[in-house]
Amino acid sequence: MFALRKGPYKIHFYRNNPFGYPKRLEELDSPKLYNLEEDPSERFDLAAEHPELVAELTALRYAFVADVTLAVSELDKTN
């Protein structure tokens, strides 16, 4: 899960790797939190100011990931 949104808040767990495939995403050392109503360009990380919200959204992430069954990527299939 790259990011999660709840209300006006969006939390990022990964960033795009500018060098691309095969490792297109890089996990962040710590999540980045944005208020999209006040900062739609996602320029101001609010994670340090809202640790309780970061913890809540991170818990939602883990609950979602634990409940998902991953499918085999079509790119990984061989004919």
Side-chain angles (χ1 to χ4, degrees):
M1 176 183 287
F2 182 86
L4 181 141
R5 181 168 178 183
K6 181 177 181 188
Y9 292 99
K10 182 177 177 185
I11 189 167
H12 285 260
F13 302 103
Y14 290 87
R15 73 170 151 249
N16 286 320
N17 177 349
F19 301 107
Y21 192 81
K23 188 176 178 190
R24 294 190 329 237
L25 300 177
E26 295 176 347
E27 190 163 6
L28 295 169
D29 293 332
S30 58
K32 305 235 183 253
L33 179 70
Y34 304 99
N35 182 328
L36 297 180
E37 288 180 358
E38 296 176 8
D39 179 23
S41 298
E42 299 178 9
R43 296 185 318 157
F44 305 105
D45 179 12
L46 303 175
E49 298 171 32
H50 300 284
E52 72 292 340
L53 188 54
V54 170
E56 176 189 348
L57 297 176
T58 300
L60 284 173
R61 172 196 186 200
Y62 287 121
F64 175 80
V65 170
D67 196 38
V68 170
T69 302
L70 297 177
V72 176
S73 169
E74 292 295 321
L75 298 173
D76 293 335
K77 290 181 180 179
T78 57
N79 292 329

